[in-house]
Amino acid sequence: VIFVSVGSMFPFDRLIEGVDVWAAKNPSVSVVAQIGNGTYEPKYASWSRMLAQGEYQEKLSACDLFVAHVGMGSILQALEARKPMILLPRLALLREVTTDHQLHTSDRFRARDGIEIVDDVPALQAAIDLAQTSPHRAPADGISSFAPDAVIQAVATFLNTGRQPGDLA
Amino acid sequence: LALASGGGHWVQLMRLRPAFDGFEVAYVSMYDSYSEQVSGSRFHVIRDASRFERSSFLSVFVDAILILARERPTVIVTTGSAPMLIFVLLGRLFGRRTLWIDSVANSERLSSSGRVAKKIAHCCVSQWPDVARREGVICWGSVL
């Protein structure tokens, strides 16, 4: 099962249509998509506009491959669930987002194990193809459900005392 | 009072929850279904106001007044985004302790909201050391 998400805010038709075209050619693979308020409605993938948080977690933990935009919510939750992911950045040029921060995030996460960043739809489809033929693709390095202790401690110190811990990183 | 917009902002706030131990926490976000994750705490939903729809900031302003009056928080903490600035501003005016944690998605510069928060919150942190250095704020590490 492939689970696809464009996050919770803006439409990302380029991603959804690209995945749907792939789904048309691969009817044996189940593809489930959260499409937000996009205008393209998939014909081959099953889809919903917006899953409740609990349903989202269920779909994520049931999938073999996660495909999404380069959003931190998508990335963090997929790392927590230890799912391999293929991510396509939204572009400000195409009005898919207001700033190009997803390109910056892409640069920061490109090298991380289990995360593949693709630059366009053909590369996305090729990457999904490849993931089908090499099912032993290394899963992402998991992360725990909470931020590292040092960060938690610094936030707790400020909240409790108003004292600002200095730079830690 | 812990606030975050929907999606990644909320996921980051959830990852910081152990820092709220010892506080009575009320949460504010954009989607009803998030309340399941914080059952046991009060949860308020406000309308989303992105930069694509500036007019809805007025409704956030009204929501913020009502929620702050009801919760009377001692501390306000948020991982963004822009609408939460209104809570930070009002909280600061009422003398509440305020913390802005800029999203980890802002890995090259502070968000435009973060730049405002730097001026109005008691404390503003970036999750990236090099961004913090360039922007004159501090960094305690990231939620990852």
Side-chain angles (χ1 to χ4, degrees):
Chain A
V1 179
I2 300 173
F3 180 45
V4 187
S5 174
V6 302
S8 60
M9 286 183 80
F10 305 120
F12 194 8
D13 286 334
R14 190 161 56 101
L15 174 70
I16 295 300
E17 185 168 357
V19 171
D20 199 41
V21 166
W22 186 90
K25 293 180 192 150
N26 296 271
S28 62
V29 180
S30 164
V31 180
V32 185
Q34 170 176 290
I35 70 166
N37 52 357
T39 48
Y40 181 89
E41 296 185 349
K43 296 171 201 65
Y44 301 94
S46 65
W47 58 278
S48 47
R49 293 261 167 213
M50 182 70 193
L51 296 163
Q53 182 60 23
E55 294 173 292
Y56 182 95
Q57 297 284 1
E58 280 168 30
K59 300 274 194 236
L60 180 60
S61 55
C63 80
D64 305 298
L65 177 66
F66 179 60
V67 174
H69 71 150
V70 189
M72 283 314 308
S74 302
I75 295 174
L76 287 167
Q77 290 184 100
L79 284 172
E80 287 172 7
R82 293 168 195 257
K83 297 298 178 181
M85 58 192 105
I86 300 172
L87 309 173
L88 177 69
R90 292 171 181 268
L91 301 175
L93 186 70
L94 301 177
R95 301 270 303 156
E96 291 164 343
V97 69
T98 49
T99 70
D100 270 330
H101 70 272
Q102 291 209 345
L103 290 177
H104 305 147
T105 306
S106 297
D107 292 338
R108 300 279 182 166
F109 287 90
R110 202 177 286 277
R112 199 174 170 115
D113 179 48
I115 297 181
E116 180 169 2
I117 310 273
V118 292
D119 295 326
D120 54 30
V121 168
L124 171 75
Q125 292 163 337
I128 301 174
D129 270 336
L130 195 63
Q132 305 310 305
T133 52
S134 39
H136 298 299
R137 220 182 116 85
D141 272 342
I143 54 173
S144 80
S145 308
F146 298 114
D149 283 343
V151 181
I152 297 289
Q153 287 308 322
V155 172
T157 298
F158 176 77
L159 296 181
N160 282 285
T161 68
R163 192 175 63 76
Q164 298 183 22
D167 268 312
L168 295 175
Chain B
L1 191 64
L3 321 124
S5 298
H9 299 280
W10 177 255
V11 175
Q12 292 176 65
L13 187 71
M14 290 296 93
R15 294 183 59 76
L16 291 168
R17 264 186 300 177
F20 312 151
D21 284 353
F23 283 99
E24 179 187 348
V25 190
Y27 291 91
V28 178
S29 190
M30 312 297 190
Y31 297 107
D32 287 316
S33 74
Y34 289 174
S35 64
E36 298 162 21
Q37 281 175 284
V38 293
S39 54
S41 296
R42 287 184 300 284
F43 178 78
H44 303 276
V45 174
I46 61 168
R47 195 180 136 185
D48 197 358
S50 70
R51 275 181 289 174
F52 286 148
E53 33 178 332
R54 285 174 191 274
S55 63
S56 53
F57 268 92
L58 183 65
S59 82
V60 177
F61 188 83
V62 172
D63 286 342
I65 295 270
L66 293 173
I67 292 168
L68 290 168
R70 170 136 171 239
E71 297 292 349
R72 302 189 168 276
T74 52
V75 185
I76 295 170
V77 53
T78 181
T79 49
S81 57
M84 303 315 181
L85 274 177
I86 295 170
F87 286 80
V88 171
L89 177 64
L90 290 170
R92 178 85 202 226
L93 291 175
F94 290 126
R96 312 303 171 175
R97 187 175 292 155
T98 49
L99 171 60
W100 178 278
I101 298 169
D102 210 51
S103 168
V104 70
N106 306 119
S107 61
E108 293 298 315
R109 60 182 74 92
L110 278 182
S111 63
S112 50
S113 310
R115 288 192 172 155
V116 177
K118 188 174 133 182
K119 298 194 175 77
I120 62 175
H122 290 94
C123 182
C124 172
V125 299
S126 167
Q127 299 190 44
W128 297 96
D130 42 342
V131 174
R133 259 193 309 278
R134 281 200 293 276
E135 303 269 359
V137 296
I138 47 182
C139 176
W140 296 331
S142 87
V143 298
L144 253 94

